Amino acid sequence: MKILTACANGSGTSLMLLRTVKKTLEKMGYQVTQADHTSISEAKGIARNYDVVFTSIPFINMFDEVKKRGGEVIGIKNVISAKEVEDKVNASDIPTKFKKK
């Protein structure tokens, strides 16, 4: 699974979210083949290359193109909460789209 995390500037928040998401997905048994973080402005142009985009809740509507092509866009409130990431992943289509290791 290729994942992208995005925040306003592409440095602190997206990096923390990336670490939380990657660790949580791997703990859940998913294989992460690519994991990157970036700014919202750059993410809008490259998000189509990823299976799942994780971002802060206010930015989820900026990734409608990802949703249209069948990708997942997941809004996260607390970027260091593994529980929130796990809950949101389980509530998404990820469990049906991706096999666990």
Side-chain angles (χ1 to χ4, degrees), residues 77-88:
K77 185 175 182 178
N78 181 349
V79 299
I80 60 171
S81 172
K83 170 103 171 81
E84 181 182 1
V85 170
E86 184 174 351
D87 290 347
K88 296 273 179 95

Side-chain angles (χ1 to χ4, degrees), residues 19-63:
R19 290 180 179 162
T20 302
V21 167
K22 189 170 187 278
K23 183 177 179 180
T24 303
L25 286 172
E26 289 173 347
K27 182 179 176 187
M28 293 173 73
Y30 294 102
Q31 181 178 7
V32 177
T33 57
Q34 183 177 346
D36 299 301
H37 70 96
T38 190
S39 66
I40 290 295
S41 60
E42 185 176 336
K44 288 192 290 184
I46 64 171
R48 66 185 173 278
N49 301 319
Y50 293 85
D51 300 310
V52 187
V53 176
F54 291 87
T55 190
S56 299
I57 292 171
F59 300 125
I60 59 174
N61 292 334
M62 295 183 177
F63 298 101

